[in-house]
Amino acid sequence: MSGAASTLRDYLTTPTPRSRRHAALQRAWLAWRRLRNNPTAMAGLGIIVLIVLVAAFAPWIATHSPFEQNLNNRLAPPSAAHWLGTDEFGRDVYSRLVYGSRVALRIIGLVTVITGPIGLLIGAIAGYAGGWVDAALMRITDIFLAFPRLILALALTSALGPNIDNAILAIGITGWPPLARLARAETLTIRASDFIAAARVIGASATRIVVGHVMPLCMPSLIVRLTLDMAGVILIAAGLGFLGLGAQPPQPEWGAMIAAGRKFVFDQWWIAAIPGIAICVLSLGFNLFGDGLRDALDPKTHS
Amino acid sequence: MLRKLAGLSGSIVLTVLGLLAVTFVIGRVVPIDPVLSVIGENAPPGAYERARADLGLDQPLHVQFGRFVKKAVTGDFGVSVLTARPVIDDLKRVFPATIELASLATLIGVLLGVPLGIVAAVRHQTWVDHLARILALIGHSVPVFWIGLMGLLVFYAELGWVGGPGRQSIAFLDIVPVRTGMILLDCLIDGDFESLADAFRHIVLPASVLGLFSLAYICRMTRSFMIEQLSKEYITAARIKGLSEWRVVMGHALRNIAVPLVTVIALSYGYLLEGSVLTETVFAWPGLGNYLTDSLLRSDMNGVLGGTIVIGAIFIGLNLLSDILYRLLDPRTR
Amino acid sequence: MKKVALALAAVLATTGVASAQTPRDTLVVGWKFDDILSLDPHESFEFAGSEFGAQVYDKLITFDPQNIGPIKPGVAESWSVSGDGKVITFKVRQGIKFHSGNPLTAEDVAYSVQRAVTMNKSPAFIITQFGLNKDNVKDKAKAVDASTFTIETDKAYATSFVLNCLSANVSSIVDSKLVKSNEKDGDWGNTWLKTNSAGSGAFKLTQWRANETLSYERNDAYWQGAPKLRRVVGRYMADANTRRLALEKGDIDVARDLQSDQVKALQSNANVNVRSIRKAYIWYLGLSTKHEHLKKPQVQQALKHLIDYDQVANTVLAGAYANQQTIIPQGFLGSIDDKPFKLDVAKAKQLLAEAGVPNGFSVTMDVTNTYPSPEIAQAIQATFAQAGVKLELIPGDFRATLTKYRARNHDIYVGRWGSDFLDPHSNADTFAKNVNNADDAPAKPLAWRNSWQSKEFSDMVEAAMIERDTEKRKQIYENLQRKFTQSSPFVVAFQNTELVAERKNVKGLAIGPISETTFFRMVEKN
């Protein structure tokens, strides 16, 4: 880092990027600036950051252990001692809600780790290879797309056995096809571009081209899609939890908390109502942020 | 066109086969002894072996899969452990309830979503537009089972405006003979308006909850189609000609978005089938979704797989339908 | 019929749905009868199915709805036991007619026993345990003439034991002519009877749709007097909250299987009575002795000290369960009320230290996903943790957990055991007796499932079974239980009580400790 680019700001805004990484960083900077001017996207980001912080500092934010039972103080209404009341085992609902953010974020993180790479790999390979490879991979993708996602996830979790790891696996398995489709479409455009032709001329291998050139260029739209998808992941995970197929007791998963509160909904309504609000807020955060990200990364759709 | 349809049907066959393969695999990995489901807990050892052979479980896997496909195609999904009847009969019985619910929800979605989407596009960046955006966000952020539960709490338990879970009040059950299986229609055919009123009180909340999601989707799509149309040159030209805004929007733009809109509605119908699984569970609505979760919680794999295949097949069918509609209606592809 | 219904609907509609009332001659019961897999009494082995049998079929031996406990003559007017104790001769009551109009004779009784034994479905062991099988049943259970039926057992069993078994659902008497006419491919009419009925009981089946409705119409010609109400309609309502609300709104007359938390809300309702009935279901933990720690007696003892029995029974399960630590339910011959264990973390820690695991250990527990298993499991999870025993819960539907349990692949199984018939042998036999501990053993009693075998206990069960002196028999069971609580891999924790709420105008619904002892026929409404 020498010469004109003496400050970070100059480095990020100079009209003549010096390397591919430099150019990528500049694009990210530009996107960030666009994002910063989008209040709803920033609100979404704020929600996500807040919940990540809550999850990270849960032991300090919670007032009780999320597992500690007190059978003599069951189903208590909100009070100074228990801000959001207690559940059927006398556990503190507020503290369970706080720790529940960890479960939610863990599900989102792991699902993304499963769906992102699989979708990208399959889509890029299909798009770049073309021919029968493309046909075969896309056929498989279509088969998975033919199932309504929730229903396939339900059937899978019930078959694998109801627990949170299987739920994550099931959501992941049902989540990659749209990403693969997207990555393939991107790859088709990229493949047709001049610089890929140039790379091929100088003798770069297919693997190198796909990994080094195609995949990085698919990333922006993939990230947008993944972010928007996270809201869906939260809802499906909560649905599985609600049906008893997701996280298991005593884990404070929000969907399972609603299911437990369902028994008392007509008398102690807050037990079911509160975790639902948490789900809405987190998923709203990802939706707002994802929308903003799409506008920032993909100016074409800016309307 | 014909060649395209032939190719399409070829890919449909492959997709359906894939669907069956996936369900078959799911059915095989279940950690439940399917024989035990048939013969019960205290059966003698001989009965176990017999039942196993009857189910074809002693055959190699590919033979089992062949059997599975053959049976599934003819609608034989085995006998439900839950009801002791063929799964296909159960599905036929519960299906109309879901269709009725999903249709009413779609109706709500279309009747409210399309006008709202249009107004939001025309009055871009006004409160209507914001309302449309908020609705779309709700559709993507709120768990359907939770809003259903809260709806029951507020409108049934607290306010008493609507009926509770189920399709009818207890007192009205089994009065109107089953003809179509759709309770509103059956009441109408029978001319029993008290039953009709009761049935309506029950369907209105679940249909509204599902309809909210349909509304959000249809409204969002209408809005973006409309915005795209309104930025086109022919619209500007029409405006310059001095046509009223109403004529421009309803006469020109709407006609041009009609085709993609129809496909969106068909697709939203498919999503509603998915949404109905959780909605029906919350509302004890005796449809396909409830049947599926009931079977699921009782590990009745015949019911689960039968339900999954049927919903998957309908999903494929709707996709196909929207594809065909698009081809038939769109002047450019005609 | 339809017109009546329509008129009824109109009346209801004009009075407003909020104050809906059920028809005067009909009892509407809201409950969860999703365990019915078959209505054939010789196949059905579930709670709701046996209850169905008690309304629709008659048995040789029955109960008095107003005083459930001692058995009394049913279709059998009287009986006598041969000197060697192996042959019981029943005099079959004359004049009883099946719903079809066919007269009930000793031939029907013999046919029914033969049918149950030959089909050999799940509940058949209740009869075949007396040495009957499909090859000898025609000789051992036969009609001597139209009014005399004899049954010959392979040993001289306690007479009370045999008679108790003949009161079980599997001993229901079916209409042999009707069933035979519906036979297909030698299936004994099983396919047909799965969804139909061929009985002589107080009610006829009018409709059964799984998870929707189970309804009866009265048999006006019933030999013990026609039921007071014309119809009984069972409505499937999966959610206990829904049942409670429907009862409060008057949509149903009786809400069954309520949960403790709803009862509190109902007790303040002047239109509703709440009752709690002791049921013969025992809640227990089965500790697999295949597990390296669970097989140690000290660990078994320690876990017995890690449940807060009274606390759980009085809070999470308030009113629905009672503290019960012995295997024979209260209300049965030989039951005792010993409660040797209570939550004692220090004692448990000391025992764990003796067993070589001072810091506890991790272990899994299979839990069925219906109330109240998850609730009990979570409460136990919390107290186990106090001594360092980390319990991982594996929930599943009962078939899935049962499959695992029967394959002996569990560590701990939290289960509910319902007595198969109103006799202590039912529970003693399954909990304490295991004569073949091989993996492919034909019988899979609870003792076997937990890989536990004790000759001492097996012998005691055997001795009690053939003890013809009832007082001595009782003592054997008492003795057996005291030993069992201390030295078995079973943590018996609770006995079930059913919470039933009825509208104030409903009287006479009889609900006994087992499914066979629920009777609708004395119910009145005013």
Side-chain angles (χ1 to χ4, degrees), chain A residues 11 71 85 91 102 123 147 158 191 193 199 205 233 250 267 294:
Chain A
Y11 173 75
L71 297 180
R91 296 177 298 209
R102 290 188 165 185
F147 280 100
S158 73
R191 192 177 65 163
S193 64
S205 70
V233 169
D267 301 300
R294 179 173 50 201

Side-chain angles (χ1 to χ4, degrees), chain C residues 223-277:
Chain C
W223 63 275
Q224 295 193 77
K228 303 208 166 67
L229 292 180
R230 199 164 67 84
R231 295 202 305 158
V232 173
V233 177
R235 286 295 175 201
Y236 177 78
M237 304 173 103
D239 179 28
N241 247 320
T242 312
R243 297 197 284 271
R244 173 199 135 196
L245 272 182
L247 182 77
E248 287 187 306
K249 287 180 191 284
D251 288 343
I252 57 177
D253 299 306
V254 180
R256 297 188 54 186
D257 274 326
L258 291 173
Q259 297 169 10
S260 43
D261 289 298
Q262 293 142 4
V263 171
K264 265 179 235 145
L266 277 174
Q267 269 156 352
S268 55
N269 188 326
N271 297 316
V272 171
N273 277 329
V274 184
R275 283 194 285 158
S276 127
I277 297 130

Side-chain angles (χ1 to χ4, degrees), chain B residues 31-33 36-45 47 50 81-85 93-94 156-157 160 165 169-177 179 190 192 194-195 198 201 286 294 296-300, chain C residues 2 5-6 9-10 12-13 17 20-21 28 34-37 45 120-122 125 194-195 207-213 235-237 242 245-246 249 251-252 369 397-400 402-403 406 417 442 449:
Chain B
I32 295 168
D33 189 339
L36 199 62
S37 305
V38 175
I39 59 172
E41 200 195 334
N42 278 304
R50 265 201 312 280
V81 177
L82 201 66
T83 61
R85 277 182 302 200
R93 191 168 44 84
V94 298
Y156 168 60
S169 296
I170 302 276
F172 287 92
L173 284 168
D174 294 333
I175 290 177
V176 173
R179 290 198 175 89
D190 204 52
D192 182 345
E194 281 86 13
S195 285
D198 176 67
R201 278 164 47 93
D294 261 358
L296 213 77
L297 295 179
R298 301 292 308 274
S299 295
D300 178 0
Chain C
K2 196 181 115 197
L6 273 175
L12 289 171
V17 178
Q21 266 196 353
V28 183
D34 57 356
D35 59 347
I36 299 183
L37 302 178
F45 197 44
N120 207 4
K121 300 282 185 184
S122 307
F125 76 95
K194 262 180 201 290
T195 52
Q207 196 178 40
W208 175 54
R209 286 202 306 270
N211 288 10
E212 276 181 50
T213 183
R235 286 295 175 201
Y236 177 78
M237 304 173 103
T242 312
L245 272 182
K249 287 180 191 284
D251 288 343
I252 57 177
N369 56 12
D397 121 282
F398 89 97
R399 245 178 289 272
L402 191 61
T403 303
R406 286 171 54 92
W417 181 263
R449 293 181 203 177

Side-chain angles (χ1 to χ4, degrees), chain B residues 53-64:
Chain B
D54 282 351
L55 292 171
L57 293 170
D58 50 351
Q59 304 282 322
L61 268 187
H62 64 273
V63 177
Q64 288 189 38

Side-chain angles (χ1 to χ4, degrees), chain A residues 67-75 87-89 91 96 161-163 243-246 248-251 260-268, chain C residues 239 241-242 244-245 259-262 264-265 308 311-312 315-318 369 371 374-376 378-383 391 393-396:
Chain A
F67 306 120
E68 189 190 297
Q69 301 186 355
N70 178 0
L71 297 180
N72 288 321
N73 189 25
R74 305 170 64 238
L75 310 173
D87 70 3
E88 56 178 325
F89 294 100
R91 296 177 298 209
R96 287 180 67 72
N163 68 50
L243 293 174
L245 297 172
Q248 294 304 332
Q251 281 197 66
R262 186 181 174 191
K263 271 184 290 189
F264 315 104
V265 70
F266 297 137
D267 301 300
Q268 288 88 18
Chain C
D239 179 28
N241 247 320
T242 312
R244 173 199 135 196
L245 272 182
Q259 297 169 10
S260 43
D261 289 298
Q262 293 142 4
K264 265 179 235 145
D308 202 344
Q311 177 81 317
V312 175
T315 57
V316 183
L317 304 171
N369 56 12
Y371 175 87
E375 282 78 4
I376 295 179
Q378 286 191 65
I380 290 176
Q381 192 180 37
T383 45
L391 200 54
L393 305 184
I394 307 176

Side-chain angles (χ1 to χ4, degrees), chain A residues 281-294:
Chain A
V281 168
L282 182 57
S283 123
L284 190 68
F286 280 108
N287 270 322
L288 290 174
F289 182 62
D291 275 342
L293 208 56
R294 179 173 50 201

Side-chain angles (χ1 to χ4, degrees), chain C residues 112-361:
Chain C
S112 298
V113 175
Q114 287 163 12
R115 184 174 185 270
V117 170
T118 313
M119 290 205 312
N120 207 4
K121 300 282 185 184
S122 307
F125 76 95
I126 296 174
I127 301 180
T128 56
Q129 63 185 342
F130 299 114
L132 274 65
N133 59 46
K134 69 176 192 305
D135 300 319
N136 69 12
V137 66
K138 287 212 156 154
D139 299 325
K140 304 278 181 186
K142 59 188 179 206
V144 178
D145 57 51
S147 63
T148 313
F149 167 74
T150 62
I151 188 164
E152 188 189 339
T153 55
D154 59 345
K155 274 187 257 184
Y157 294 92
T159 308
S160 58
F161 173 39
V162 181
L163 294 178
N164 283 337
C165 287
L166 289 175
S167 73
N169 191 41
V170 70
S171 307
S172 293
I173 298 161
V174 300
D175 186 340
S176 61
K177 285 205 189 80
L178 184 59
V179 172
K180 277 178 189 161
S181 70
N182 285 292
E183 199 173 297
K184 229 172 40 195
D185 313 327
D187 72 343
W188 290 83
N190 177 242
T191 311
W192 178 76
L193 206 55
K194 262 180 201 290
T195 52
N196 289 285
S197 76
S200 56
F203 288 93
K204 312 172 205 182
L205 169 74
T206 43
Q207 196 178 40
W208 175 54
R209 286 202 306 270
N211 288 10
E212 276 181 50
T213 183
L214 174 65
S215 39
Y216 309 99
E217 195 162 289
R218 85 173 149 215
N219 171 12
D220 288 313
Y222 189 53
W223 63 275
Q224 295 193 77
K228 303 208 166 67
L229 292 180
R230 199 164 67 84
R231 295 202 305 158
V232 173
V233 177
R235 286 295 175 201
Y236 177 78
M237 304 173 103
D239 179 28
N241 247 320
T242 312
R243 297 197 284 271
R244 173 199 135 196
L245 272 182
L247 182 77
E248 287 187 306
K249 287 180 191 284
D251 288 343
I252 57 177
D253 299 306
V254 180
R256 297 188 54 186
D257 274 326
L258 291 173
Q259 297 169 10
S260 43
D261 289 298
Q262 293 142 4
V263 171
K264 265 179 235 145
L266 277 174
Q267 269 156 352
S268 55
N269 188 326
N271 297 316
V272 171
N273 277 329
V274 184
R275 283 194 285 158
S276 127
I277 297 130
R278 275 262 185 170
K279 304 294 278 189
Y281 306 133
I282 295 290
W283 267 94
Y284 71 94
L285 305 182
L287 314 176
S288 173
T289 54
K290 282 210 256 174
H291 188 277
E292 54 163 336
H293 297 312
L294 295 177
K295 71 175 176 213
K296 298 173 191 162
Q298 299 97 323
V299 170
Q300 295 170 3
Q301 280 280 331
L303 297 186
K304 289 172 189 180
H305 282 103
L306 283 175
I307 297 178
D308 202 344
Y309 301 89
D310 279 323
Q311 177 81 317
V312 175
N314 294 333
T315 57
V316 183
L317 304 171
Y321 280 81
N323 180 349
Q324 161 81 21
Q325 301 182 5
T326 51
I327 52 173
I328 294 175
Q330 302 302 314
F332 278 52
L333 176 79
S335 65
I336 51 174
D337 200 18
D338 286 17
K339 293 187 178 63
F341 304 107
K342 61 180 178 23
L343 181 66
D344 186 343
V345 178
K347 176 102 202 247
K349 278 185 172 160
Q350 182 201 330
L351 283 161
L352 288 174
E354 282 173 29
V357 279
N359 299 319
F361 54 96

